[in-house]
Amino acid sequence: MSSSPLSPGARAFFLVNEGIAFLVELLVLVLLAWWGFTRDIGWVGSIALAVAAPAAAAVLWGFFAAPKARFAVPYAARIGVKAVVFGAAALALYALGHRVPSLWFTGVVVVNTALASYYRHYRTRP
């Protein structure tokens, strides 16, 4: 499939979607920290999990899923890592008792990732 330059409207849509992707990625870290902090494993354990869960997600993301990831992996592996990280955040939100928001979060992630993948891999980046 050949790439074509983005129209101004498509470029604006791409940039807004990239902004949403960044906000969702930050939300993942917040959700994992919140989940870790609320575990009933003692004060020290809760603090440790609140730090370790988002740190593990950030390291995994930075190694394999970030735009400038440390290791180049096939596209399917990158999507798999994203599914694990975003899925963990959705499950954390669900475990916190926010079932409907976890479904909304999952929907936003799926649509955002699909649109970002389309623009990054099938269209020319602005």
Side-chain angles (χ1 to χ4, degrees), residues 1-4 75 114 116-125:
M1 183 175 232
S2 65
S3 297
S4 61
Y75 179 70
S117 295
Y118 171 75
Y119 278 102
R120 289 177 189 157
H121 299 285
Y122 297 110
R123 303 289 302 253
T124 301
R125 289 191 72 162

Side-chain angles (χ1 to χ4, degrees), residues 46-75:
S46 293
I47 296 292
L49 193 54
V51 171
V59 167
L60 188 62
W61 190 272
F63 278 177
F64 304 109
K68 294 181 181 180
R70 185 166 190 83
F71 301 104
V73 295
Y75 179 70

